[in-house]
Amino acid sequence: VKTLSFAGKVTMIYYVIYGMVNFWSAVFVLPKRFYAKVDSLCSAFLWKNNTTSALGARVSWLDICKPKQEGGLGIRKLEEFEMVFRLKRIWLFFSSSGSLWVPWLTHNRFHDKSFWLVTDSPRFSHTIRSMLQLRDSLGNFMRCSLGDGSTASFWFDYWTELGPLSTMFGPSGPRSLRISLDD
């Protein structure tokens, strides 16, 4: 480590350490304190050539993690990646990616119910629960292509300019319009 320049350490953090964390984050839901600890270790490594403490660092890690246009080094905080990987799991679920995980999840865990209708349960894994907890904010990220309508949800998918119809009509919508939630 002593032979690495400052630029070499930045490169090592950006490509090697963050690359490993991104790999594991794509597979598992990691706790937020894990990301904070890795950022702390990277800060200590960058400024002090060790992993014990970055006390007395010349620049705060928050400033280092700013984009280059704002005076930082373009390294992003790892906590920002957590949401990306949570959203990616949901994208894989809806995109018909060919993964064996998707039909298994639908049949064995959701009991062939729609993702939107499944009730969060302590019996679900942390990964599945993290996906279900994002349902309310998915409208900002998801759009639905109707096609033949076999994979679209009338009430929960974002297929109109109005957004998901469940939010517009509320809980009494299916009864008022006499259209089942399963459609």
Side-chain angles (χ1 to χ4, degrees), residues 7-180:
K9 288 189 254 183
V10 170
T11 303
M12 185 173 179
I13 290 169
Y14 191 78
Y15 289 104
V16 178
I17 297 171
Y18 275 33
M20 290 179 0
V21 171
N22 287 341
F23 172 78
W24 288 110
S25 295
V27 179
F28 301 110
V29 176
L30 302 172
K32 287 187 179 189
R33 67 181 178 273
F34 169 80
Y35 295 114
K37 181 65 176 175
V38 172
D39 276 337
S40 172
L41 293 171
C42 289
S43 175
F45 170 70
L46 183 65
W47 293 115
K48 301 292 184 174
N49 281 343
N50 63 41
T51 56
T52 55
S53 172
L55 192 64
R58 298 179 193 139
V59 180
S60 77
W61 190 248
L62 291 176
D63 291 334
I64 293 289
C65 292
K66 289 181 180 177
K68 290 182 180 181
Q69 298 84 356
E70 296 176 19
L73 295 177
I75 298 174
R76 295 183 65 186
K77 286 187 65 174
L78 284 172
E79 287 181 42
E80 295 173 5
F81 289 106
E82 180 206 14
M83 181 61 77
V84 171
F85 287 113
R86 289 174 67 193
L87 291 169
K88 183 178 179 185
R89 283 185 205 91
I90 293 172
W91 177 80
L92 287 171
F93 180 75
F94 281 103
S95 69
S96 302
S97 64
S99 169
L100 291 175
W101 175 71
V102 173
W104 175 85
L105 182 64
T106 304
H107 182 69
N108 293 329
R109 291 291 174 237
F110 294 169
H111 302 290
D112 295 321
K113 285 185 181 176
S114 166
F115 172 80
W116 305 105
L117 297 175
V118 173
T119 307
D120 193 4
S121 169
R123 68 182 173 86
F124 290 145
S125 71
H126 188 61
T127 302
I128 295 171
R129 294 187 80 199
S130 74
M131 289 171 56
L132 294 174
Q133 290 165 356
L134 286 176
R135 285 186 288 201
D136 293 337
S137 61
L138 288 178
N140 300 328
F141 303 105
M142 292 183 70
R143 299 294 181 266
C144 179
S145 177
L146 285 179
D148 64 1
S150 63
T151 60
S153 169
F154 178 81
W155 287 106
F156 299 104
D157 284 338
Y158 199 117
W159 61 274
T160 71
E161 293 299 319
L162 304 172
L165 296 178
S166 62
T167 58
M168 184 177 166
F169 288 99
S172 63
R175 185 180 54 230
S176 299
L177 296 176
R178 296 187 176 139
I179 299 174
S180 169

